[in-house]
Amino acid sequence: DMPIKNFESEGGVDLLEDMFLQIRGQDKEHLELERKCRGLMRRAFEIAQIRRWIKINPVITNRDLLPEQTVKHYPMLKWDEVPELIKRIECNAHRYALQQVLCTKFILLTGLRVGAGVRVKWSQVKEDIIEIDGKTSGLKRKKGKSDHIPHMIPLTDDLRRLIDTAKRYGISDEYMFAPITHSRYEHLDPSGPSNFIRGLGIINS
């Protein structure tokens, strides 16, 4: 019920900051959620400014005034743990669907994110490269700015052998890695490679 103009006052700013504090939590466990909510509210008030409902944006975005956020990196294997990962993949591959295993190996060889790896199409495999459309989910391109740039992967001998195996056992005319069972995806479910790695008992997966 509070008029939007009232948010320009000190009380309006305090009301917003109290809301962000509740989202953040007392132990600062939800700093990323707070950051996203703060950005959303800032953009909402920017629209109000454009429409001349308010003159000042009440959402504080000055980093010096906000709590510091500890950067948390995704878990990763140490280099000396990689041989054990490869050994587990080779020794346990028979327990999983072939396309699930092949896709995991493909991702490890190319460095692609899972979302892009499961969406590779046969039509994108050229003579010497794999050319993935820049708009493919998982490539993290900026819409309208860099999504017109395709992602190029040179075909190494290991990749050629993997692709030949995928062709021999392929069950999809469009995607390199088909779904294992009935799925909402036309390609392998993006959770497939992760489930395979977790099933191997890799703690940091």
Side-chain angles (χ1 to χ4, degrees):
D1 296 333
M2 182 172 171
I4 195 168
K5 293 248 342 146
N6 289 12
F7 282 98
E8 290 184 299
S9 68
E10 186 175 329
V13 174
D14 289 343
L15 185 66
L16 287 171
E17 287 304 311
D18 287 343
M19 178 189 72
F20 292 133
L21 179 60
Q22 291 184 43
I23 293 171
R24 182 191 314 157
Q26 296 298 324
D27 296 325
K28 302 180 182 178
E29 69 270 29
H30 300 301
L31 279 170
E32 179 63 16
L33 178 60
E34 181 208 349
R35 185 190 67 79
K36 291 180 179 179
C37 291
R38 192 178 288 272
L40 180 63
M41 292 300 296
R42 177 181 58 80
R43 291 191 292 274
F45 280 109
E46 281 176 356
I47 294 173
Q49 285 178 299
I50 292 170
R51 297 187 178 183
R52 299 183 179 179
W53 295 341
I54 58 174
K55 293 181 181 179
I56 301 171
N57 195 319
V59 179
I60 297 173
T61 55
N62 188 334
R63 291 182 181 272
D64 294 333
L65 300 176
L66 300 176
E68 292 186 7
Q69 181 174 2
T70 303
V71 177
K72 291 184 179 180
H73 297 287
Y74 287 106
M76 59 179 290
L77 291 175
K78 296 178 181 178
W79 183 247
D80 58 3
E81 294 176 309
V82 173
E84 177 63 22
L85 168 65
I86 296 172
K87 179 180 177 180
R88 290 194 187 189
I89 289 175
E90 292 305 316
C91 293
N92 295 277
H94 64 281
R95 296 165 47 200
Y96 296 85
L98 180 62
Q99 58 266 46
Q100 190 177 9
V101 176
L102 288 175
C103 186
T104 303
K105 291 182 177 180
F106 182 81
I107 290 167
L108 291 173
L109 286 170
T110 60
L112 282 173
R113 291 182 174 89
V114 174
V118 297
R119 290 176 170 84
V120 173
K121 298 181 178 181
W122 290 117
S123 60
Q124 296 170 336
V125 181
K126 313 299 182 183
E127 185 176 351
D128 295 313
I129 62 169
I130 299 173
E131 183 176 334
I132 303 175
D133 189 290
K135 293 181 174 62
T136 302
S137 178
L139 287 182
K140 299 295 184 181
R141 296 284 201 266
K142 289 188 177 180
K143 187 176 181 180
K145 292 186 177 181
S146 58
D147 59 354
H148 64 285
I149 304 172
H151 183 77
M152 306 287 196
I153 301 171
L155 280 178
T156 63
D157 290 341
D158 288 327
L159 274 176
R160 289 181 190 278
R161 284 192 288 270
L162 188 150
I163 290 170
D164 286 343
T165 302
K167 281 181 181 177
R168 287 200 303 273
Y169 297 96
I171 54 177
S172 171
D173 294 329
E174 183 177 7
Y175 292 96
M176 188 181 296
F177 307 110
I180 298 173
T181 56
H182 179 70
S183 171
R184 60 193 175 104
Y185 296 100
E186 297 178 282
H187 47 74
L188 181 66
D189 192 309
S191 66
S194 298
N195 290 339
F196 173 42
I197 295 296
R198 289 193 186 94
L200 297 179
I202 304 300
I203 297 174
N204 286 334
S205 62

